[in-house]
Amino acid sequence: MLFATLEHILTHISFSTISIVITIHLITLLVRELGGLRDSSEKGMIATFFSITGFLVSRWASSGHFPLSNLYESLIFLSWALYILHMIPKIQNSKNDLSTITTPSTILTQGFATSGLLTEMHQSTILVPALQSQWLMMHVSMMLLSYATLLCGSLLSAALLIIRFRKNFDFFNEIEYFYAKRSALKSTFFPSFPNYYKYQLIERLDSWSYRVISLGFTLLTIGILCGAVWANEAWGSYWNWDPKETWAFITWTIFAIYLHSRTNPNWKGTNSAFVASIGFLIIWICYFGINLLGIGLHSYGSFTLPI
């Protein structure tokens, strides 16, 4: 009872905090002089991260197994992974383009997890025998970390395509015009600054997308390999072409094509971003769509196994 109350409090604190954070993000997007609000936003993200971490630890202690046994727990873990991605640019002291993706993604993920649709999954349950393995933490955590990373990379690529083909770029031009007037480089770059800013933004999104997807692809590969070893222990075969396994392979193939296309200068940028954008839909089919059907070796009852 104590753990259940603590989990309830922590999830609502985290959701309320992230709701305030995204509101602050919208305000600072329109009024960039409000630096104090931006600092408050980052403090809110940190507070939310610790709340989610506290929830996962509490769930782990109360259930006796790593909290990744159903859709509810996996969505909370997915939110936690998005916070980790949000903090990576901070560690590198670089411009945080990821925050535009990670913050809304986090609130949507957490909002769905705490909605009434998954109320029956809020209580921790005993794992079925096939899931009572040390591979649960390794395989499922790697898969969910890869999903979070690849989703962010795909959204960055989608943003690149929107900006690339958007004819009306006046909103961004006006913002940068205002700040360019106070820049020491004004005399050098300002005459062609609108096109220069759009080019720089596209290049930055392309660079971030490539780095994030490369990390996600590595995690996905590790997760699939761990799953194959676990499948051999549980079912006597490394690969069974189960619907979940098939779509995991399709996801891996899509992002392998993306990474390979980056080696060709003619495909780098817009073309590779289009491939990554397709990957966004494939991930959701693999992670969420297959569980809706509740079929295959990974079903264990609808939504019981999130990977």
Side-chain angles (χ1 to χ4, degrees):
M1 183 65 182
L2 176 63
F3 283 114
T5 303
L6 178 61
E7 292 167 10
H8 180 79
I9 293 173
L10 289 173
T11 52
H12 283 78
I13 288 176
S14 60
F15 181 72
S16 300
T17 306
I18 196 63
S19 300
I20 296 172
V21 166
I22 198 169
T23 302
I24 293 174
H25 266 277
L26 292 174
I27 294 173
T28 53
L29 178 64
L30 299 175
V31 187
R32 293 195 174 187
E33 290 87 349
L34 300 176
L37 279 180
R38 193 175 296 109
D39 294 337
S40 300
S41 173
E42 291 304 321
K43 292 178 182 177
M45 289 296 288
I46 294 173
T48 309
F49 172 76
F50 281 112
S51 297
I52 290 297
T53 303
F55 168 84
L56 293 173
V57 172
S58 174
R59 191 83 165 186
W60 194 349
S62 63
S63 65
H65 60 78
F66 198 68
L68 289 173
S69 60
N70 58 36
L71 181 65
Y72 172 68
E73 293 175 348
S74 74
L75 285 169
I76 296 295
F77 187 86
L78 191 65
S79 298
W80 183 84
L82 290 168
Y83 290 121
I84 296 294
L85 290 173
H86 177 83
M87 296 307 297
I88 290 176
K90 294 294 180 182
I91 297 174
Q92 297 181 344
N93 294 318
S94 58
K95 189 176 180 64
N96 196 353
D97 295 310
L98 271 177
S99 64
T100 309
I101 302 297
T102 54
T103 305
S105 299
T106 300
I107 191 173
L108 290 173
T109 304
Q110 229 173 302
F112 182 73
T114 55
S115 67
L117 296 174
L118 304 177
T119 304
E120 71 281 1
M121 298 183 184
H122 288 191
Q123 296 297 323
S124 181
T125 58
I126 299 174
L127 291 176
V128 298
L131 299 182
Q132 295 176 9
S133 169
Q134 295 300 322
W135 287 104
L136 172 69
M137 181 171 65
M138 184 64 180
H139 169 55
V140 186
S141 62
M142 285 295 103
M143 294 300 291
L144 288 174
L145 284 171
S146 71
Y147 291 159
T149 310
L150 292 172
L151 285 171
C152 285
S154 299
L155 287 173
L156 287 169
S157 292
L160 184 155
L161 292 175
I162 293 172
I163 294 172
R164 172 66 178 80
F165 293 108
R166 183 176 179 178
K167 295 181 179 179
N168 184 8
F169 208 65
D170 293 339
F171 173 73
F172 296 100
N173 291 342
E174 290 173 4
I175 293 175
E176 293 305 319
Y177 178 88
F178 175 77
Y179 285 96
K181 289 192 297 184
R182 298 185 296 181
S183 174
L185 300 177
K186 178 182 68 174
S187 59
T188 304
F189 296 105
F190 189 70
S192 59
F193 194 83
N195 291 332
Y196 174 76
Y197 170 69
K198 182 176 181 178
Y199 170 78
Q200 287 292 93
L201 180 58
I202 289 175
E203 287 295 305
R204 202 162 63 237
L205 288 173
D206 186 52
S207 175
W208 267 112
S209 177
Y210 174 68
R211 285 189 283 177
V212 172
I213 289 176
S214 296
L215 173 61
F217 182 79
T218 302
L219 295 172
L220 180 63
T221 303
I222 295 173
I224 290 175
L225 291 175
C226 291
V229 176
W230 187 11
N232 186 57
E233 289 186 2
W235 304 318
S237 175
Y238 288 100
W239 195 265
N240 300 280
W241 292 108
D242 173 74
K244 180 72 76 172
E245 295 174 346
T246 302
W247 280 98
F249 176 73
I250 293 172
T251 303
W252 187 90
T253 302
I254 287 292
F255 288 102
I257 292 172
Y258 166 84
L259 294 175
H260 179 71
S261 68
R262 298 277 307 187
T263 62
N264 186 338
N266 295 327
W267 275 78
K268 182 180 179 181
T270 303
N271 292 324
S272 60
F274 180 74
V275 176
S277 299
I278 295 175
F280 178 82
L281 298 175
I282 300 299
I283 294 169
W284 279 114
I285 293 174
C286 180
Y287 171 56
F288 192 74
I290 299 300
N291 293 91
L292 282 174
L293 299 177
I295 59 176
L297 295 172
H298 288 75
S299 60
Y300 295 102
S302 183
F303 288 129
T304 302
L305 186 65
I307 54 177

